Each structure stands twice: as C-alpha cells, then as structure tokens.
C-alpha cells in the first residue's frame, strides 16, 4: 500500500533524478548513463594519396581553371588528393586490381572542404559565370544543377572518404594541358572530339552534368558501358559505393566519419 508520505518521497526522488540527469525507473534510481563520445577534434586523419600509392595518377581539377566554374575553387591551394587513411588503403587495393587488368586509377577529386561546397552554392546562385557551360553542362540549365542532383548543399567528399576517379591505360597516354580560353567541346561529344583526357572512354568527360553520365545510361556505346562496369566492379570489390548519376563518384562504405563534414583546406598541412 502506498501512503501519501511514500508518494511524496518517490516524487522527490524522481525530481532530484531529473535535475541531476539520473534516470528513475519504477521508483528506483538508475545509474547515470555514460557521457557521449567527445566531439571530433577537427582533424579527420587525412593522408596524401601519393604518399600511400604513388602509382595512382592525379588530375585535381578544382585546383585549376579546368572545371565547371572556370577558376580554382575556394579551399584548393594545392593540387592534392587527400583521403582518410582507411579510404586511401582501400584505393591502393583497387590500384593493385586495376593494374592486373592493364589499367591504372586516375583521381580528379578526393577530400573536398565545406568552403568549396559553399563556393559551388554561391556560384550556382549568381547570374552569369557560365563560361564553362559549353563543356560541362551543355544541356542542363545552371539553375537546375542542384535540383537535378549534380550539386548538393552538402557533399560526402567533405567527410574525407569519397573520390572522383577514372581509369587510364598503362602506360598512360600523355594528356595536353588545358589552356584557359581555349575553344570548348561538350563533355557529351564523342571521345575523339571532347577534351583530350587520357581516361579510357567512359562515354562522357569528367564532371559532365548530363543524363549521359548516369551510370546506367543506355545512350553510351558498348565500349563505354564495359569501361564503366569495370571501374564499378573494381571499386565495389574494395568496399566503395557508387552514385548512379555520376560514373566517376565513389564513397568508401566503411568511412570513419559518416556524419562529419570538415573544412580543412586541400593542402599537405591538413594531413595527419
């Protein structure tokens, strides 16, 4: 039987428990729960991919003017591929498998700071600034790039375990440098007409914001389909997950920072 005085004692215990952050179950005091894990220190433990595997080619487009905004992107003071140690180790395994098929990996983008994503967002909301439209988004309006999923207000790249890449033959053909102001050709054009990237034929160029770049597009020829399938198989076998709108985009499934978006610049000083 519960007396009024007992009820008052139980209520007092419950109130004290709430104030102290202690749980009360059935009138009994429950032990305090362990504190939440500490907040990230701000350094995700990035490594420079060329230190992990110098065999992998790099063509870091956002550190140059050869990208869809037409200038170096904020946050890319150095043309480096930074990745978490886990993703870089997995990519080394992909490179081993790729070499066995007579190909090598070539990366276009790896870790991408939040400031770069913000730069894209600002660019997309401004009038003009479409000097690269003819190459990178010839059939999509600039104002539709976010809505159609080609750009996002957040990017998995900022978590350090996502990479944009392709395959090149071994030995890799020489690639001419991009000259700002040179005539542009649509990324959807046949391989022998678009920018002379030394990638094997994937049906479009890199960062081609067009349905033709969707992985399952039926509009690319059999050679491009086989090459896309090869890249996807190599990557998924090593634990990466692709993105259906971009044949070049892969995220490491077991990424160590699945909910954290970092803003360190793409520079060697950000490694470690």
């Amino acid at each position: 039987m519960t007396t009024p005085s007992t009820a008052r004692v139980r209520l007092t215990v419950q109130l004290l428990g709430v104030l102290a952050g202690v749980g009360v179950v059935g009138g009994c005091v429950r032990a305090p729960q362990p504190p939440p894990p500490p907040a990230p220190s701000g350094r995700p433990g990035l490594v420079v991919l060329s230190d992990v595997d110098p065999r992998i080619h790099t063509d870091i487009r956002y550190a140059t003017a050869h990208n869809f905004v037409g200038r170096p992107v904020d946050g890319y003071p150095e043309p480096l591929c930074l990745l978490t140690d886990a993703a870089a180790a997995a990519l080394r395994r992909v490179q081993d498998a790729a070499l066995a098929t007579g190909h090598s990996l070539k990366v276009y983008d790896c870790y991408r700071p939040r400031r770069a994503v913000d730069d894209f967002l600002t660019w997309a909301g401004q009038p003009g600034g479409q000097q690269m439209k003819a190459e990178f988004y010839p059939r999509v309006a600039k104002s539709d790039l976010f809505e159609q999923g080609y750009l996002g207000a957040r990017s998995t790249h900022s978590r350090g375990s996502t990479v944009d890449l392709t395959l090149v033959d071994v030995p890799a053909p020489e690639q001419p440098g991009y000259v700002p102001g040179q005539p542009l050709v649509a990324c959807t054009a046949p391989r022998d007409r678009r920018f002379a990237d030394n990638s094997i034929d994937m049906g479009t160029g890199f960062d081609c914001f067009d349905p033709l770049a969707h992985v399952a597009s039926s509009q690319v020829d059999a050679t491009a389909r086989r090459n896309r399938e090869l890249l996807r198989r190599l990557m998924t076998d090593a634990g990466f997950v692709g993105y259906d709108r971009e044949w070049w985009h892969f995220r490491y499934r077991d990424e160590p920072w699945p909910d954290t978006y970092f803003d360190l610049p793409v520079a060697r000083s950000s490694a470690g």
Side-chain angles (χ1 to χ4, degrees), residues 94-95 98-99 101 103-108 165-169 191 197-202 226-232 234-235 247:
V94 179
Q95 176 71 353
L99 289 172
T101 71
H103 301 92
S104 172
L105 297 176
K106 183 176 84 166
V107 296
Y108 296 111
L165 78 174
T166 189
L167 293 169
V168 297
D169 288 325
R191 183 171 182 248
D197 190 310
N198 59 0
S199 170
I200 63 175
D201 189 10
M202 294 292 186
R226 284 195 302 270
N227 290 339
R228 290 182 183 188
E229 290 167 1
L230 173 61
L231 177 61
R232 176 154 288 211
L234 292 170
M235 294 297 288
W247 57 257

Side-chain angles (χ1 to χ4, degrees), residues 48-183:
V48 179
L49 180 63
S50 59
D51 293 344
V52 176
D53 194 335
R55 304 170 299 174
I56 299 175
H57 298 260
T58 59
D59 183 5
I60 308 301
R61 294 288 186 87
Y62 297 148
T64 76
H66 191 207
N67 56 64
F68 63 90
V69 300
R71 55 168 172 75
V73 175
D74 191 15
Y76 284 81
E78 298 178 44
L80 296 174
C81 171
L82 301 181
L83 287 170
T84 61
D85 185 65
L91 211 58
R92 181 179 176 88
R93 295 194 296 271
V94 179
Q95 176 71 353
D96 289 337
L99 289 172
T101 71
H103 301 92
S104 172
L105 297 176
K106 183 176 84 166
V107 296
Y108 296 111
D109 192 37
C110 302
Y111 161 73
R112 180 186 307 165
R114 288 197 316 254
R115 70 190 76 178
V117 180
D118 292 342
D119 196 7
F120 294 159
L121 183 62
T122 299
W123 169 83
Q126 293 174 335
Q130 300 194 65
Q131 65 267 33
M132 304 301 285
K133 176 177 173 59
E135 178 173 351
F136 291 96
Y137 52 108
R139 301 189 292 191
V140 179
K142 178 185 176 183
S143 59
D144 291 339
L145 292 177
F146 276 86
E147 181 181 343
Q148 295 191 22
Y150 296 112
L151 297 176
R154 281 187 172 185
S155 172
T156 60
H157 283 274
S158 300
R159 306 198 299 245
S161 297
T162 293
V163 60
D164 294 338
L165 78 174
T166 189
L167 293 169
V168 297
D169 288 325
V170 177
E174 185 176 352
Q175 176 176 300
Y178 169 77
V179 179
Q182 72 181 59

